[in-house]
Amino acid sequence: MKKILLSAILVSSLFANKDTYIEAGIGFSNSKDNFSTSSKSNISSLNDAEDEKSAIALVNFNYSYDLSEDTSLYAGMDLGTLYFGSNINSQLGSFDIGIMTSFDQEWENPFTTNANRKETDVNEFGTFLGYGFSLGKSHQAQLQYSYSKREYDKETVQADLKRDGTRHVWSFENSINSDNFTFLINTNYENYDAQGDSSSY
């Protein structure tokens, strides 16, 4: 799930770069996931996951500052990912460039059984490029590419399962507005090249 969400974060941050806002919310999660650090640290089998119930607090924000009529800077956070970028408007469309980073925790070895698993810090840092254009008054589109590097502070999995790696995301987002509805037509491709072949996708 986290791998899919990163793409959504980039899309929403690029589309929102002209807005200044704060979003706050709360939710509830009920899941079965032995790989989550909110699950038990000691498991006897990889398929004996138990229901994990937890509350989720969510705070997103975006701040935009106009340097000129055509150029702005923006910074914010979306689903735990911090980003900072710049938007330039021209007769050819709008151009975005920026950086983003996120921090998380995972197990050093999520496959360990009958022993206490230890947590490790996970950092991801990258950059993104975007190009926005319109084919009419009711249409907006955004092409974007992002590159990021994900690093685990410590992991004790075997070589084929090593999770350090690089992520490439290509997206094409379309927004079509009518009087009462907004239609979103989106295409997304993501490639994660991990040190271990079994952790790549």
Side-chain angles (χ1 to χ4, degrees):
M1 177 61 76
K2 293 175 184 174
K3 297 170 182 174
I4 297 172
L5 286 178
L6 180 64
S7 308
I9 291 167
L10 294 177
V11 172
S12 60
S13 67
L14 288 173
F15 268 120
N17 58 42
K18 292 212 167 194
D19 298 326
T20 296
Y21 62 84
I22 297 176
E23 298 175 336
I26 190 168
F28 176 78
S29 173
N30 184 11
S31 63
K32 288 185 176 183
D33 183 1
N34 271 333
F35 290 166
S36 169
T37 53
S38 62
S39 64
K40 294 189 303 181
S41 63
N42 193 318
I43 56 175
S44 59
S45 172
L46 292 176
N47 55 355
D48 70 348
E50 297 180 355
D51 284 337
E52 297 287 339
K53 299 178 181 179
S54 60
I56 302 171
L58 179 67
V59 177
N60 297 332
F61 69 89
N62 190 87
Y63 175 77
S64 179
Y65 177 77
D66 292 333
L67 295 175
S68 66
E69 184 176 340
D70 298 322
T71 305
S72 63
L73 298 175
Y74 57 90
M77 181 174 71
D78 202 328
L79 298 175
T81 293
L82 297 168
Y83 57 85
F84 176 80
S86 177
N87 174 263
I88 301 172
N89 289 310
S90 71
Q91 293 182 347
L92 299 176
S94 64
F95 298 88
D96 283 271
I97 184 170
I99 58 175
M100 76 257 182
T101 187
S102 63
F103 307 94
D104 201 358
Q105 284 193 324
E106 295 187 22
W107 299 119
E108 288 181 7
N109 187 343
F111 305 101
T112 299
T113 57
N114 298 311
N116 286 331
R117 296 179 292 180
K118 297 179 181 179
E119 295 181 3
T120 187
D121 293 328
V122 185
N123 303 319
E124 188 158 356
F125 182 81
T127 184
F128 59 85
L129 299 170
Y131 170 64
F133 63 94
S134 175
L135 298 178
K137 291 183 179 180
S138 61
H139 175 259
Q140 283 187 316
Q142 182 89 25
L143 281 165
Q144 56 250 327
Y145 166 73
S146 71
Y147 168 86
S148 60
K149 187 173 183 179
R150 188 171 178 85
E151 295 183 339
Y152 287 73
D153 184 47
K154 184 178 181 181
E155 59 175 351
T156 55
V157 297
Q158 63 190 56
D160 188 58
L161 296 170
K162 291 288 186 181
R163 294 164 288 175
D164 283 350
T166 56
R167 188 192 313 274
H168 302 266
V169 181
W170 295 265
S171 299
F172 182 40
E173 311 292 327
N174 285 275
S175 173
I176 302 172
N177 298 306
S178 68
D179 292 337
N180 300 310
F181 298 96
T182 297
F183 298 93
L184 301 176
I185 306 169
N186 305 326
T187 301
N188 186 77
Y189 176 78
E190 180 175 341
N191 176 56
Y192 187 72
D193 184 17
Q195 287 184 9
D197 289 341
S198 294
S199 293
S200 300
Y201 61 87

